[in-house]
Amino acid sequence: MEDTRIQVEEVMELLKERKFSELRSRLSEIQPIDVAQILGEVPEEKLLILYRILPKEDAADVFTEMEPEEQETLIRAFNEREIQEILEEMYIDDAVDLVEEMPAVVVNKILRHASPETRKEINELLKYPEDSAGSVMTTEYMSLKSDMTVADAFERIRRNADEKEDIYTCYVVSPQRMLEGTVSLKDLFLTSKDTLIGDLMETNIISVNTLDDQEEVAKQMAKYNLTTIPVVDKEKRLVGIVTVDDAIDVIQEENTEDIEMMAAITPTDKPYIDTGLFETYKKRIPWLLLLMISATFTGAIITKYESALGAYVILTAYIPMLMDTGGNAGSQASVSIIRGLSLDEIQFSDVFRVQGKELMVAVLCGFTLALANFFKLIFIDRVGTIIALVVCMTLLFTVVVAKFVGCSLPILAKRIGFDPAVMASPFITTIVDAISLIIYFQLASHILHI
């Protein structure tokens, strides 16, 4: 952040002194993503001026890396020629992302000035469901024919490389666009120029369907160490590829969504700083209301056992400890299982194995906590042995129940089609709180005869 502030100050000083050539040279030395961060920090009225100073060959790359708010500001100020230049330089998947982020009036301006071919490609990609492989793929891949020689392939790559998002993996397709194989640029370099592509290509192809979930696509790429993965339609025709930079974006987006859901927050695509006050409120308040209502069950349980608390007021002092310990134990189990589910390390068929392991861990943890707490109650709090026994037995049972619930609910949620992250800390804590109170008061009632 400090470096960015220094760069912003330097850029603004050069702009103020009207040293445009020096400013242009300075910006050309900085990576596009860093230039985009700098432009995001400058006053809005200076944004267009600075953007127009950028070297033409860098402008589209910088524009792609900018936040949607700055992109919208620029598009509204762009003339027809500037919009056309941007769209010509942008890869088609980036152009689709741009259209999806912009308000309708800005989208109309973009599409109005796009070439018919670009407009058609954008509209085709927009038809795919959100979060599908089709929605994140690019159609700008390098295709070859099986009857080409290596020399023919190099000639085709040289002619078309500037228009393709990736040339390091080439896709061999039939005249009907069926995916037949892949060839790496490395293999082309190491093979005789007279070799046929059909003899060189790898036919054991990992591919995904246009309707596959984008998170599953990213997992496939990570599993097989791929920098690109082909996307085929229902007829097995090659329609595009997903590149590693898009896969990283998907993973980051999905992880952010899981973290927000685990904290009982409605997910959003916007960064925290760019999310408005009221929008942040709307993301959080429904979950807080739901959890508050569900938490009334614990109040009802305490009310039901009011007579027990009246007879042994000391029992009240240990309610927070029991509820907090149960919630923490449940959260430990749920977070571990949710992470395992997201990495495909755990399947529904593993449910009994997971439950068995968590139950054994719970017994060990619960016994250790109960033993430590027993000595604390006797020697520090100086309560009676019977009271200490009630509290410690409750603690043991609570930890066991909490870990069982914490490991089971995420697996069951995924089985019935829900995001396992929904079953994270807030819900599990609420459930465990209620169960721990019931266990506590039932044990107290039987052991203390109240």
Side-chain angles (χ1 to χ4, degrees):
M1 283 300 293
E2 186 63 33
D3 289 342
T4 301
R5 283 196 292 270
I6 293 172
Q7 289 173 328
V8 170
E9 291 172 3
E10 181 183 349
V11 165
M12 294 305 296
E13 185 63 28
L14 290 172
L15 184 62
K16 182 180 179 181
E17 296 175 2
R18 304 181 69 82
K19 296 180 178 179
F20 299 134
S21 296
E22 187 177 343
L23 178 56
R24 180 187 178 93
S25 176
R26 180 73 182 93
L27 290 174
S28 67
E29 298 170 355
I30 305 173
Q31 290 292 325
I33 190 169
D34 295 323
V35 175
Q37 290 180 342
I38 292 171
L39 295 186
E41 297 290 330
V42 303
E44 188 174 307
E45 63 272 12
K46 303 294 184 183
L47 182 60
L48 183 61
I49 299 172
L50 284 170
Y51 183 83
R52 285 174 170 163
I53 290 174
L54 289 172
K56 183 178 179 181
E57 59 272 17
D58 297 335
D61 291 336
V62 171
F63 185 85
T64 300
E65 300 291 351
M66 296 173 72
E67 294 295 332
E69 291 75 14
E70 283 90 46
Q71 290 178 333
E72 181 181 346
T73 300
L74 288 175
I75 291 173
R76 290 182 183 275
F78 280 165
N79 56 41
E80 179 179 342
R81 178 183 59 80
E82 288 173 318
I83 292 178
Q84 289 174 344
E85 287 178 352
I86 282 290
L87 291 175
E88 286 173 5
E89 293 295 327
M90 291 179 73
Y91 292 119
I92 194 65
D93 57 331
D94 292 327
V96 171
D97 290 341
L98 173 66
V99 168
E100 289 180 326
E101 294 283 354
M102 295 297 110
V105 63
V106 178
V107 171
N108 290 335
K109 184 176 182 179
I110 294 171
L111 295 179
R112 189 167 63 250
H113 298 306
S115 67
E117 181 182 350
T118 300
R119 187 161 55 245
K120 180 182 178 182
E121 289 181 326
I122 290 174
N123 287 330
E124 283 295 325
L125 292 179
L126 287 173
K127 292 178 182 178
Y128 292 108
E130 186 179 3
D131 298 336
S132 67
S135 70
V136 295
M137 73 180 183
T138 179
T139 56
E140 294 161 324
Y141 56 87
M142 184 61 67
S143 63
L144 303 174
K145 305 295 182 185
S146 60
D147 57 357
M148 284 182 171
T149 63
V150 169
D152 295 333
F154 273 124
E155 181 59 31
R156 179 174 174 79
I157 292 170
R158 275 191 290 270
R159 288 199 313 268
N160 298 282
D162 285 345
E163 302 170 4
K164 306 304 179 183
E165 188 158 351
D166 181 87
I167 62 169
Y168 300 103
T169 301
C170 303
Y171 296 92
V172 185
V173 295
S174 71
Q176 294 77 35
R177 307 302 298 168
M178 299 295 182
L179 180 59
E180 296 182 334
T182 62
V183 179
S184 70
L185 196 60
K186 178 182 177 181
D187 289 337
L188 291 175
F189 271 117
L190 297 176
T191 307
S192 168
K193 64 180 181 180
D194 297 323
T195 303
L196 289 176
I197 296 299
D199 296 333
L200 180 62
M201 67 183 184
E202 172 63 56
T203 56
N204 184 21
I205 311 166
I206 306 298
S207 64
V208 294
N209 188 272
T210 53
L211 300 181
D212 288 348
D213 185 84
Q214 62 177 10
E215 187 174 7
E216 293 303 315
V217 174
K219 288 179 181 178
Q220 288 286 88
M221 294 182 71
K223 179 179 179 180
Y224 295 104
N225 295 318
L226 302 174
T227 56
T228 63
I229 192 167
V231 183
V232 298
D233 61 14
K234 289 185 290 187
E235 285 76 35
K236 303 301 180 183
R237 292 174 300 193
L238 180 63
V239 292
I241 61 172
V242 176
T243 56
V244 67
D245 58 323
D246 291 320
I248 291 172
D249 289 341
V250 168
I251 292 170
Q252 183 177 8
E253 177 186 323
E254 295 291 342
N255 287 345
T256 301
E257 181 178 308
D258 285 346
I259 290 170
E260 290 183 323
M261 293 185 72
M262 288 169 68
I265 300 174
T266 303
T268 180
D269 294 331
K270 288 186 178 180
Y272 174 81
I273 295 297
D274 297 330
T275 307
L277 176 66
F278 189 67
E279 191 173 351
T280 302
Y281 159 79
K282 287 195 298 181
K283 284 170 51 183
R284 298 180 182 182
I285 195 60
W287 292 93
L288 290 174
L289 286 171
L290 179 61
L291 292 171
M292 182 186 71
I293 293 170
S294 62
T296 57
F297 289 112
T298 59
I301 294 169
I302 292 174
T303 301
K304 180 179 178 181
Y305 291 95
E306 192 172 358
S307 59
L309 290 174
Y312 288 89
V313 179
I314 189 65
L315 294 175
T316 308
Y318 301 106
I319 290 177
M321 182 272 293
L322 292 170
M323 293 171 66
D324 288 348
T325 303
N328 293 335
S331 296
Q332 284 182 335
S334 66
V335 169
S336 299
I337 301 308
I338 289 168
R339 184 59 178 163
L341 290 169
S342 69
L343 296 175
D344 287 333
E345 297 172 348
I346 298 173
Q347 306 298 327
F348 182 75
S349 57
D350 299 318
V351 61
F352 295 118
R353 182 181 173 189
V354 170
Q355 288 173 337
K357 180 178 180 179
E358 286 296 328
L359 283 174
M360 287 188 287
V361 171
V363 170
L364 292 172
C365 290
F367 183 78
T368 303
L369 291 171
L371 187 63
N373 200 48
F374 184 82
F375 285 107
K376 172 185 173 294
L377 292 172
I378 297 296
F379 297 108
I380 298 177
D381 295 350
R382 297 192 180 280
V383 302
T385 304
I386 300 300
I387 296 294
L389 184 63
V390 169
V391 173
C392 292
M393 288 179 63
T394 302
L395 188 59
L396 172 61
F397 288 130
T398 296
V399 171
V400 170
V401 170
K403 289 196 176 292
F404 182 80
V405 172
C407 75
S408 301
L409 285 185
I411 297 176
L412 294 175
K414 186 170 184 178
R415 178 66 174 180
I416 61 179
F418 288 112
D419 191 326
V422 175
M423 296 298 176
S425 302
F427 277 117
I428 288 175
T429 298
T430 302
I431 293 170
V432 170
D433 284 351
I435 294 174
S436 64
L437 284 175
I438 293 173
I439 294 172
Y440 190 31
F441 292 124
Q442 284 293 325
L443 284 173
S445 298
H446 285 84
I447 295 175
L448 299 175
H449 305 292
I450 51 178

